[in-house]
Amino acid sequence: MSAADLAAVVVTIVSVVALVAVLFAVVALRDALRALTAAVDRLEEQSATVVAELDRAVGRADRGLDRAEHLVVAAEAMAADAESASRLTRQVVAAPVIKAVAIAAGTKRAAGRLRGER
């Protein structure tokens, strides 16, 4: 066997070993790709469930905000009504009360003069 034959045998053996290593790597990559595909499928199923639940929660929150908005509008209307009633009461009651106080003060003063007080 010559040196060239020996080199050819060594190169062939090294090539076969490298080919086997590449085949093992390809098989490992295929297995990893299958596992990754399965994980993505599971994640897709779970995310679909979570998204559906989140959609329902957003719907409930939206309805709650609508109810709260109606309550705020109603409260603002009541506050405006109470303010109007208070203003009207003040306008209606203020003048007669002032007049009554003036009459009482005048009557007291007149009674004092009649009794001889100044």
Side-chain angles (χ1 to χ4, degrees):
M1 191 185 255
S2 69
D5 291 338
L6 181 62
V9 169
V10 169
V11 168
T12 302
I13 292 172
V14 169
S15 295
V16 169
V17 170
L19 181 62
V20 170
V22 168
L23 286 176
F24 277 121
V26 168
V27 170
L29 284 174
R30 185 194 66 194
D31 293 342
L33 184 59
R34 284 181 182 166
L36 183 60
T37 302
V40 167
D41 290 343
R42 283 192 309 272
L43 182 61
E44 184 180 0
E45 290 171 10
Q46 291 173 354
S47 65
T49 303
V50 169
V51 167
E53 186 176 326
L54 184 60
D55 187 46
R56 286 191 300 273
V58 167
R60 286 190 305 267
D62 190 40
R63 287 188 297 278
L65 285 174
D66 285 344
R67 284 193 303 265
E69 181 181 2
H70 292 303
L71 289 174
V72 168
V73 168
E76 288 173 346
M78 284 188 237
D81 290 345
E83 184 179 342
S84 295
S86 174
R87 190 176 332 107
L88 181 62
T89 302
R90 194 174 29 246
Q91 289 172 352
V92 168
V93 172
V97 168
I98 291 172
K99 288 178 184 178
V101 168
I103 290 173
T107 303
K108 181 179 176 184
R109 194 170 177 195
R113 285 192 178 171
L114 290 175
R115 286 187 298 226
E117 300 172 5
R118 280 213 166 218

